[in-house]
Amino acid sequence: MANKQQISTKINHKNELTEFNSPIDYRSLMTTLQYFSEKYPFIGITYMGTSVLGRGIPMVTLGEGEYKKRSVLYVGCHHGMEWITSAVLLRFIEEYCMAYEGGLNLCNVNVRKLFKSRCIYVIPQFNVDGADIQINGVDGCILQDRLIAMNCGDDFSDWQANARGVDLNHNYDAGFGYYKQLEAESGIFGGGKTKYSGEAPESEPEVAAMCSFLRYASEIGTVLTLHSQGEEIYVGPKGVYVPRSGSIGTLISRMTGYRLSSPSGGAAYGGLTDWVTSELRRPSFTIECGKGENPLPIEDVKPIYSRLREAFFSVPLLI
Ligand SMILES: [Zn+2]
């Protein structure tokens, strides 16, 4: 675990939500989760997989982990510049914990009943290496020279991929072959900061771990994947019918005020939402959080969270 002295995230010990005042790198992520696990021992924290650079990818479990209980999965930060989504999910975890402890209703949901009846898995930062590279650069990284070559320089401020230059949200087995053609037409033939899908579906350890987890965890009824930005909600590929996907999507749209939309071009292939929808046939949604230019400023966490929180508390009850 990280050294608490070095965290720039302001952790308070009153009944207020944690203030995030700097980007969520791996140290900040782990220190915050360590704090949550000490303060709220009823939550579970495990590693759902390991990144290319050997970092554990933490997953938080909210709710009693009874086998085959109806569950949902929330995933943040597939892309290095989109760590704002990690802060949004950490805020959700903390508010859930406070409400559970205090026996509160939030958004008309009794959180203690929710805890008993549903399980919410949260992966606040899926691309832990990519976010850390985008925020801190690659000094001292074992793949430093390779990453600088792939990035064409040492400014990593627009880095989206993992530490092997693969865009994790194009590495799922959903229209992979077709995406490869688009990739070649765009002149992408190898690792880089964005949009390279990898040598094969699930070639990256992060994506392989996610797919294994979801194949095994058949109780997960819905997956919400957070990206930034655009204030839109994408459903899976056109022409793929998944029962209840339309009604759940419409409800999320009403709760958030974000509009439902279909991805176009290369964005329509190889993503987690596409794979869960087309392969597992479970409702799955990409939520493009906030508006502006990536990376969105950390100050945007509160307004983004306030738009999404009703959906976070309510979606588990829709499955
Ligand atoms: Zn993204």
Side-chain angles (χ1 to χ4, degrees):
M1 286 291 174
N3 180 348
K4 281 185 191 174
Q5 306 285 309
Q6 295 174 20
I7 191 175
S8 52
T9 298
K10 188 179 138 206
I11 285 175
N12 73 76
H13 296 276
K14 296 182 218 149
N15 263 354
E16 292 165 11
L17 295 174
T18 298
E19 293 279 341
F20 297 105
N21 48 27
S22 59
I24 310 295
D25 63 5
Y26 194 64
R27 181 190 299 277
S28 168
L29 173 74
M30 297 310 292
T31 308
T32 305
L33 290 176
Q34 169 85 40
Y35 164 68
F36 288 172
S37 71
E38 287 168 7
K39 190 167 182 198
Y40 305 110
F42 50 86
I43 65 173
I45 301 183
T46 53
Y47 293 106
M48 59 78 64
T50 306
S51 72
V52 166
L53 294 176
R55 295 182 170 110
I57 303 166
M59 178 167 73
V60 177
T61 308
L62 305 171
E64 285 174 350
E66 182 190 313
Y67 182 59
K68 293 293 179 195
K69 178 176 280 187
R70 281 182 282 175
S71 307
V72 293
L73 172 66
Y74 301 161
V75 186
C77 201
H78 265 71
H79 290 133
M81 296 168 82
E82 301 175 9
W83 40 257
I84 191 100
T85 58
S86 306
V88 168
L89 287 172
L90 290 169
R91 196 168 177 83
F92 165 67
I93 293 167
E94 191 172 29
E95 190 173 38
Y96 179 107
C97 290
M98 281 183 180
Y100 174 80
E101 202 171 57
L104 306 177
N105 284 12
L106 287 181
C107 308
N108 294 320
V109 174
N110 181 310
V111 176
R112 286 199 178 159
K113 280 190 186 162
L114 186 66
F115 187 91
K116 283 253 175 243
S117 64
R118 298 288 192 281
C119 194
I120 306 174
Y121 298 103
V122 187
I123 300 170
Q125 191 163 87
F126 180 58
N127 185 6
V128 287
D129 291 344
D132 210 81
I133 289 167
Q134 194 277 331
I135 296 164
N136 296 318
V138 296
D139 274 358
C141 171
I142 196 167
L143 297 175
Q144 181 174 353
D145 293 345
R146 187 164 181 249
L147 281 160
I148 289 172
M150 281 194 292
N151 187 51
C152 304
D154 59 5
D155 175 3
F156 284 86
S157 57
D158 56 358
W159 186 264
Q160 296 277 49
N162 75 349
R164 296 198 328 138
V166 175
D167 188 320
L168 296 182
N169 211 42
H170 287 299
N171 192 236
Y172 294 89
D173 195 5
F176 191 87
Y178 186 69
Y179 182 77
K180 272 282 169 218
Q181 290 174 29
L182 296 180
E183 203 175 74
E185 285 165 18
S186 312
I188 298 171
F189 297 100
K193 60 180 74 172
T194 185
K195 293 193 166 51
Y196 174 60
S197 60
E199 288 177 10
E202 299 178 37
S203 61
E204 302 313 294
E206 298 91 345
V207 171
M210 176 69 84
C211 294
S212 300
F213 172 62
L214 280 166
R215 286 188 186 105
Y216 169 76
S218 57
E219 75 275 17
I220 293 177
T222 295
V223 180
L224 302 187
T225 306
L226 272 54
H227 288 254
S228 68
Q229 47 78 50
E231 299 192 342
E232 288 185 319
I233 300 162
Y234 297 141
V235 294
K238 275 185 187 146
V240 178
Y241 174 72
V242 175
R244 311 204 54 227
S245 180
S247 58
I248 294 173
T250 301
L251 282 166
I252 297 173
S253 174
R254 277 192 202 144
M255 286 186 264
T256 57
Y258 287 8
R259 71 187 176 99
L260 281 170
S261 173
S262 289
S264 55
Y269 304 98
L272 175 58
T273 297
D274 310 311
W275 183 75
V276 173
T277 307
S278 58
E279 289 299 310
L280 303 181
R281 302 278 167 162
R282 303 180 209 166
S284 186
F285 306 91
T286 295
I287 302 183
E288 292 284 358
C289 303
K291 215 150 200 177
E293 201 170 307
N294 282 327
L296 295 180
I298 194 72
E299 300 77 50
D300 286 5
V301 171
K302 283 186 196 176
I304 290 172
Y305 179 69
S306 68
R307 293 279 291 271
L308 297 179
R309 69 195 277 271
E310 185 182 4
F312 289 152
F313 284 101
S314 306
V315 164
L317 297 170
L318 301 177
I319 57 159

